[in-house]
Structures are given as C-alpha cells and as structure tokens.
Amino acid sequence: DAKTTQPNSMESNEEEPVHLPCNHSTISGTDYIHWYRQLPSQGPEYVIHGLTSNVNNRMASLAIAEDRKSSTLILHRATLRDAAVYYCILRGTGNQFYFGTGTSLTVIP
Amino acid sequence: DAGVIQSPRHEVTEMGQEVTLRCKPISGHNSLFWYRQTMMRGLELLIYFNNNVPIDDSGMPEDRFSAKMPNASFSTLKIQPSEPRDSAVYFCASRTYSLGTGFPKTEAFFGQGTRLTVV
C-alpha cells in the first residue's frame, strides 16, 4: 500500500479552522484518500474520503491537490471535542486498510 | 444498530493463560477486521475476513494468535499462551464490501476495543 506522511502533532485554538496536511506522493490512480480519527479511549471513526474532487460533509472538508500527491483535512471550527489523532489512509482495490502514525490534534480553549 | 460490540472491555490475565476476545459486527456487514494498538507500533492490522473467510492473516504476530469467524455475527481472537508483550488494545471493525467491484460499500465501523493486560 502507498504510504502517507503526516505531522506528528498540531495545535489549534478553539473555534478556529484547522488544516491537517497529508502527503502521499506515491498514490496510484485508483487509491481513495480516507480520513479517520480516534478520540481518547475510543476506536477510530470515519471522517471523510475522496478520490479527486474536494469533498464536504457535516464533520469536515477534504481538499485534494490537483496532482493528488497531497490532501488536507479541514475542520472549519475546532471544538474541544475535536481533540483526537487524525489518520490519513490510502485505500486501493481490496478490502484491507492500514493506519500510519497520524496527527495528534490539541485544541486549546 | 448498536454498532460493533466487543467483549470484554478489559481483560487482565497471567502470562501463559489463554485469552479469548470476542466481536459482534454490525448486522449486514460482510467484512471484519482485527487490529492491535500499542504505543510503540500504533494500529496494526492483524487479520481480516470477507464473508466469514480469512483473507489475509499476515499481520498475525505469531502462531500463538488465532482468529475465527464461525458465522456472520461473531468472531474471536485467541491468544494461547499469552505473554506480557501481548498487552495492548485490540479493536474489531466491520463494513460492507463488494466482491464484485473490489471496493468497500461503506466506511469501517470500529468497536470500543478490549484492553488486554498480561502480567
């Protein structure tokens, strides 16, 4: 599976937007970009995914670079409940998916 | 639906004992995954099943680990004998997967995990 690179940690002030970057320079044409997050003492939960176009849902937005070698998860207004580890995952054909080290987001009140 | 249900939530056992972790996937999902999470290694995929059949167990660390899925609503992960280095949080996840297209049809849903401590 193609690898992803994320910063180990980021901080954000409460109620400000957060941009979480992910590099995936070896992405193939059929790889989807998925984001999951893991709240403290919880299992991971799905956030958003996309292939080529930018995507929005109630939780976040996903901005995908034109060459698809990077993407950014955007939380429009960070809340304390958004403090979590955010994982960027590439998923090709097949059912398995692998987590990297993720970005630990701290939200400052 | 109650989501993916794992039991027990916490397990403390002595080295050498057999440990069985249980998972009930979401009804209707045909894929099930077992992950292990530690501080050192993060989230590791151990094994996954499609339609109750093990597809890839390359992540299972040793022969001491075994997983079964006797039916669509139940799976077990067994460690025999257990060792202190097996201490971790074990997660089960499920989703719907299309064998025809080769792509998942839903996102993966994770259980709350089982925290295993081997002393």
Side-chain angles (χ1 to χ4, degrees):
Chain A
D1 290 282
K3 292 195 67 173
T4 63
T5 304
Q6 300 177 252
N8 287 333
S9 63
M10 292 184 64
E11 286 187 352
S12 174
N13 293 318
E14 194 176 10
E15 297 190 4
E16 289 188 357
V18 182
H19 290 233
L20 298 165
C22 181
N23 287 320
H24 28 78
S25 58
T26 60
I27 191 170
S28 73
T30 56
D31 285 342
Y32 281 78
I33 302 159
H34 285 244
W35 284 82
Y36 281 73
R37 72 178 184 181
Q38 187 174 20
L39 303 172
S41 301
Q42 303 277 326
E45 64 176 355
Y46 168 83
V47 178
I48 200 166
H49 77 281
L51 183 62
T52 56
S53 303
N54 295 343
V55 184
N56 300 296
N57 66 20
R58 64 176 180 82
M59 289 181 70
S61 296
L62 176 60
I64 302 172
E66 198 167 333
D67 63 5
R68 300 208 329 123
K69 293 185 177 182
S70 65
S71 61
T72 303
L73 179 70
I74 303 166
L75 306 179
H76 296 286
R77 288 179 72 240
T79 69
L80 297 179
R81 290 176 296 178
D82 291 322
V85 178
Y86 288 78
Y87 297 96
C88 171
I89 301 165
L90 298 184
R91 183 192 55 74
T93 55
N95 202 11
Q96 68 273 37
F97 57 108
Y98 301 93
F99 289 82
T101 54
T103 297
S104 179
L105 175 65
T106 300
V107 180
I108 302 168
Chain B
D1 200 311
V4 176
I5 300 173
Q6 293 187 245
S7 64
R9 290 294 308 277
H10 302 273
E11 176 81 37
V12 180
T13 190
E14 291 185 346
M15 183 174 64
Q17 295 298 306
E18 177 180 297
V19 176
T20 300
L21 310 182
R22 296 172 175 79
C23 176
K24 176 178 170 54
I26 291 174
S27 176
H29 284 186
N30 62 352
S31 293
L32 183 139
F33 306 80
W34 282 101
Y35 287 85
R36 176 173 70 175
Q37 186 171 35
T38 61
M39 288 294 292
M40 290 292 293
R41 302 175 68 91
L43 272 161
E44 302 174 275
L45 176 62
L46 301 179
I47 185 171
Y48 77 94
F49 297 81
N50 286 345
N51 293 321
N52 313 336
V53 176
I55 302 300
D56 185 354
D57 65 354
S58 59
M60 297 285 263
E62 302 172 30
D63 290 345
R64 298 184 296 107
F65 286 69
S66 62
K68 293 183 179 180
M69 193 163 185
N71 57 61
S73 58
F74 184 65
S75 177
T76 60
L77 179 67
K78 185 177 295 186
I79 308 172
Q80 165 64 14
S82 58
E83 296 182 4
R85 60 192 167 125
D86 301 330
S87 298
V89 180
Y90 291 80
F91 289 102
C92 176
S94 72
R95 69 174 168 194
T96 302
Y97 174 70
S98 171
L99 292 174
T101 65
F103 286 101
K105 298 174 70 174
T106 68
E107 68 264 32
F109 293 84
F110 284 76
Q112 297 280 8
T114 294
R115 181 173 295 277
L116 173 65
T117 304
V118 183
V119 297

